Amino acid sequence: MFTAFIFPDILLYILDMIGIVACAIAGTLLAQHKGFDIAGCILVAMVNAIGGGTLRDMALDRHPLFWMTDLNYLIVITVTSLILQIFANLYHKIDNALKLFDAIGLAAFSVIGFNVALDQGMLPVIAIMMGVWTAIIGGLLRDIICNEIPLLLQREIYISASIVGSVTYLLLEHWGMPARLNEFIMLSVIFAVRMLALRFDWHLPSIRLVG
Amino acid sequence: MFTAFIFPDILLYILDMIGIVACAIAGTLLAQHKGFDIAGCILVAMVNAIGGGTLRDMALDRHPLFWMTDLNYLIVITVTSLILQIFANLYHKIDNALKLFDAIGLAAFSVIGFNVALDQGMLPVIAIMMGVWTAIIGGLLRDIICNEIPLLLQREIYISASIVGSVTYLLLEHWGMPARLNEFIMLSVIFAVRMLALRFDWHLPSIRLVG
Amino acid sequence: MFTAFIFPDILLYILDMIGIVACAIAGTLLAQHKGFDIAGCILVAMVNAIGGGTLRDMALDRHPLFWMTDLNYLIVITVTSLILQIFANLYHKIDNALKLFDAIGLAAFSVIGFNVALDQGMLPVIAIMMGVWTAIIGGLLRDIICNEIPLLLQREIYISASIVGSVTYLLLEHWGMPARLNEFIMLSVIFAVRMLALRFDWHLPSIRLVG
């Protein structure tokens, strides 16, 4: 925790990579389930892990895209996907860890997307949207490629956790919270909401009034 | 109609918003049918309403994207989607209005996409394509996310109505029609073709010659 | 072959167009199979033929997109798609030629995507990825629109043929091979790997270890 205030960027980078690993695992698992070959699995892992950030950067006109200059992203995804394909039995040992990793990824991706948009001079509403975008588009694209109805649009606390975190950030910023600490609070809020949602089986309702 | 020649931009903006409302309704309805939650329905409504314009702006390198500086788009979509989700029985009262709104949207989106491309110095053929693109990509993305085969590619007069309008514009421009008036004629032609296609059940054929 | 060393750009352009024709045919056939109308078939043909290059140019911030200034792409796609729709029985006569065309397209698209990325100052790994991207994203988007599970991710030698070609180029470049000749070797390697894979029924395995 102490490190967080001295090297917050490094902390965020590590959390980001944990999220990348979680997405690469999720992508590889679904791709394997669909019978894709080695290259297909790695491709779906990549789409899942960097698809959201890629579309965010393209929408915000940030070039080169984040993974084009920092090859760690592609390396981590490829290695993760290959390890999981080779040691398929590994999955059962990481099932619970995956949910944790996934929640870390949701938080880190949201914070990064939100900050990137603010840095580009976007309005707060757009920044909230870009946080959501970075966090969920990868999973959405994975489901689209694999011909599945996106689960995260059905009844999962993903989008709302990201929005709650962003709104918390904006409120605390309004009340004078320093940016670094605020980022860390936003991260914790999103992570907490997601983990609580998993623990207590919270869902966003779908409204179906019959007229 | 008189207003159209004094404040044509405002008229086009209003027609654009009517199209946005129609797309938000169509997106929300399909998302609800698929069992998506509140946030999922709003997301699909957004994809349907601004997906085409977003991809058009990204393809033409127009930044920031149109909805990033004018928040009315996101507000109108969110409010429309929420109202429809809360008052689901409302739908039956607007069924016929929806087709009208949708035709207005097709016309307005085509005119906007076509003009934006010409303003960026694109060739006429590319401008025609960008009109089509703006008008249909949103619905295409909605169907893709919801795992449906895109209806508008099957036997609907959408793409052809947009093309007929653009070609009319180019012909009249060649013959000296003033731009403002021409824009209004293009809008009317697309709207008329779409409404006539609905009324008389016109379809573009699919050619299937057995050899 | 002699021409290849005098007018290599023209040769590459011709091979590129052969690939475009192959993609337009593949897109039209699947779209017809799905019951799309004339406009829908042309749209799917376009997505298949220029979707990969479009996303590559957007990711690399190259504007205007390649098909916006050179209308030959749109014309060749539209004409190919229309001819195939009108003379559906033509297909049976070109079934074998299609596989050849498709392999030429894979090679030409890979070389173009790879070179474009290097020209933009990208790292070699990113260039390899852009070669793959240009060659396969179009087919991926076609399958997504038509609601099919992408065949090329299942057990086809596509991605790996493109990567083998790019790696060959980088190795030969390191050993001093002149760029023009090297490009031609890369093209031949990809084409050869793809044709051999078809001939001898090579597949990339999918790893499924039960734990």
Side-chain angles (χ1 to χ4, degrees):
Chain A
M1 280 310 110
F2 183 55
T3 329
F5 301 102
I6 306 186
F7 302 114
D9 285 347
I10 288 180
L11 176 71
L12 190 56
Y13 189 73
I14 292 169
L15 297 177
D16 187 19
M17 282 298 163
I18 292 174
I20 293 284
V21 168
C23 288
I25 292 172
T28 303
L29 288 176
L30 184 56
Q32 278 193 311
H33 180 69
K34 291 279 167 175
F36 291 177
D37 64 22
I38 299 175
C41 287
I42 293 175
L43 187 134
V44 175
M46 284 186 180
V47 166
N48 197 353
I50 59 173
T54 299
L55 271 177
R56 175 203 64 213
D57 280 2
M58 283 163 73
L60 293 173
D61 201 23
R62 288 176 82 231
H63 293 279
L65 305 178
F66 68 100
W67 47 267
M68 288 182 172
T69 46
D70 179 357
L71 289 186
N72 289 342
Y73 288 96
L74 297 188
I75 294 168
V76 166
I77 296 165
T78 307
V79 170
T80 302
S81 179
L82 281 176
I83 290 178
L84 192 68
Q85 288 182 64
I86 295 168
F87 306 103
N89 54 343
L90 204 69
Y91 172 60
H92 303 290
K93 292 174 190 156
I94 56 169
D95 195 7
N96 279 313
L98 185 58
K99 282 175 187 161
L100 188 72
F101 281 22
D102 182 63
I104 292 172
L106 171 66
F109 287 17
S110 296
V111 169
I112 292 168
F114 178 79
N115 275 328
V116 158
L118 288 183
D119 285 351
Q120 297 285 105
M122 290 293 137
L123 294 167
V125 173
I126 304 299
I128 294 173
M129 201 173 154
M130 286 295 140
V132 172
W133 193 318
T134 310
I136 70 159
I137 297 266
L140 210 62
L141 291 175
R142 173 202 63 209
D143 287 348
I144 287 172
I145 290 179
C146 295
N147 210 2
E148 297 273 311
I149 295 191
L151 197 67
L152 68 88
L153 298 183
Q154 289 177 50
R155 37 202 77 246
E156 289 286 341
I157 300 288
Y158 261 102
I159 297 176
S160 36
S162 175
I163 293 174
V164 166
S166 299
V167 170
T168 305
Y169 183 97
L170 291 170
L171 283 177
L172 292 180
E173 188 190 40
H174 182 70
W175 292 328
M177 183 70 68
R180 289 298 189 198
L181 183 56
N182 206 353
E183 230 169 68
F184 185 72
I185 293 172
M186 174 176 170
L187 198 84
S188 311
V189 166
I190 298 173
F191 179 74
V193 170
R194 176 72 192 141
M195 291 310 283
L196 287 170
L198 279 176
R199 177 70 187 77
F200 296 106
D201 208 30
W202 290 347
H203 297 305
L204 211 59
S206 64
I207 316 176
R208 281 166 181 274
L209 298 180
V210 188
Chain B
M1 278 313 111
F2 182 55
T3 328
F5 301 102
I6 305 186
F7 302 115
D9 286 347
I10 287 180
L11 177 72
L12 190 57
Y13 189 72
I14 292 170
L15 297 177
D16 187 20
M17 281 299 162
I18 292 174
I20 293 285
V21 167
C23 288
I25 292 172
T28 302
L29 287 175
L30 184 56
Q32 278 194 311
H33 180 68
K34 291 280 168 176
F36 291 179
D37 63 24
I38 299 175
C41 287
I42 294 175
L43 187 135
V44 175
M46 285 188 180
V47 167
N48 197 353
I50 58 174
T54 299
L55 271 177
R56 175 203 64 214
D57 280 2
M58 283 162 73
L60 293 173
D61 202 23
R62 287 176 84 231
H63 292 279
L65 306 177
F66 68 101
W67 47 267
M68 288 182 171
T69 46
D70 180 356
L71 289 186
N72 288 342
Y73 288 96
L74 298 188
I75 293 168
V76 166
I77 295 165
T78 307
V79 169
T80 303
S81 179
L82 281 176
I83 290 177
L84 193 68
Q85 288 183 63
I86 295 167
F87 307 103
N89 55 342
L90 204 69
Y91 173 60
H92 303 288
K93 292 174 190 155
I94 56 169
D95 196 8
N96 279 314
L98 185 60
K99 281 174 188 162
L100 187 74
F101 281 21
D102 183 63
I104 292 172
L106 171 65
F109 287 16
S110 295
V111 170
I112 292 169
F114 178 79
N115 276 328
V116 157
L118 288 184
D119 286 350
Q120 297 284 105
M122 290 293 138
L123 295 165
V125 174
I126 305 297
I128 293 173
M129 200 173 154
M130 286 295 139
V132 172
W133 194 317
T134 309
I136 70 158
I137 297 265
L140 210 62
L141 291 176
R142 173 202 62 208
D143 287 348
I144 287 173
I145 290 179
C146 294
N147 210 2
E148 296 272 311
I149 295 189
L151 197 65
L152 67 90
L153 298 182
Q154 290 177 51
R155 37 201 77 247
E156 289 285 342
I157 300 288
Y158 261 102
I159 296 176
S160 35
S162 174
I163 293 174
V164 166
S166 299
V167 170
T168 305
Y169 183 99
L170 291 170
L171 284 177
L172 292 180
E173 189 189 40
H174 183 70
W175 292 328
M177 182 69 68
R180 289 298 189 197
L181 183 56
N182 206 352
E183 230 170 68
F184 185 72
I185 293 171
M186 172 176 172
L187 198 83
S188 311
V189 166
I190 299 174
F191 178 74
V193 170
R194 175 72 192 144
M195 291 310 284
L196 288 170
L198 279 176
R199 176 71 186 76
F200 296 106
D201 208 30
W202 289 347
H203 297 304
L204 210 59
S206 62
I207 316 176
R208 280 165 183 275
L209 298 179
V210 188
Chain C
M1 279 314 107
F2 183 54
T3 328
F5 301 102
I6 306 187
F7 302 116
D9 285 347
I10 287 179
L11 176 72
L12 191 56
Y13 189 72
I14 292 169
L15 297 177
D16 187 20
M17 281 299 163
I18 292 175
I20 293 284
V21 167
C23 287
I25 292 172
T28 302
L29 287 175
L30 183 56
Q32 277 193 311
H33 180 69
K34 292 279 166 174
F36 291 178
D37 63 24
I38 300 175
C41 287
I42 294 175
L43 187 134
V44 175
M46 285 188 180
V47 166
N48 197 355
I50 59 173
T54 299
L55 271 177
R56 175 204 65 214
D57 279 2
M58 283 164 72
L60 293 173
D61 201 24
R62 288 176 84 233
H63 292 279
L65 306 178
F66 68 102
W67 46 267
M68 287 183 172
T69 46
D70 179 357
L71 289 187
N72 288 343
Y73 288 96
L74 297 188
I75 293 167
V76 166
I77 296 165
T78 307
V79 170
T80 303
S81 179
L82 281 176
I83 290 177
L84 192 67
Q85 289 183 62
I86 294 167
F87 306 103
N89 55 341
L90 204 70
Y91 172 60
H92 304 289
K93 292 174 190 156
I94 57 169
D95 195 9
N96 279 314
L98 185 59
K99 281 175 188 162
L100 188 73
F101 282 21
D102 183 63
I104 293 172
L106 171 66
F109 286 16
S110 296
V111 169
I112 292 168
F114 177 79
N115 276 327
V116 157
L118 288 183
D119 285 350
Q120 297 284 105
M122 289 293 138
L123 295 166
V125 174
I126 304 298
I128 294 173
M129 200 172 155
M130 286 294 139
V132 172
W133 193 318
T134 310
I136 70 158
I137 296 265
L140 209 61
L141 291 175
R142 173 203 62 209
D143 287 348
I144 287 173
I145 290 179
C146 294
N147 210 2
E148 295 273 310
I149 294 191
L151 197 65
L152 68 90
L153 298 183
Q154 288 176 51
R155 38 202 77 244
E156 289 285 341
I157 300 288
Y158 261 102
I159 296 176
S160 35
S162 175
I163 293 174
V164 167
S166 299
V167 171
T168 305
Y169 183 98
L170 291 171
L171 284 176
L172 291 179
E173 188 190 39
H174 182 70
W175 293 327
M177 183 70 68
R180 288 299 189 198
L181 183 57
N182 207 353
E183 230 170 69
F184 185 72
I185 294 172
M186 174 176 170
L187 199 84
S188 312
V189 167
I190 299 174
F191 178 74
V193 170
R194 175 73 193 143
M195 291 311 283
L196 288 170
L198 279 176
R199 176 72 187 73
F200 297 106
D201 207 31
W202 290 347
H203 297 304
L204 209 60
S206 63
I207 317 176
R208 280 165 184 273
L209 298 179
V210 187

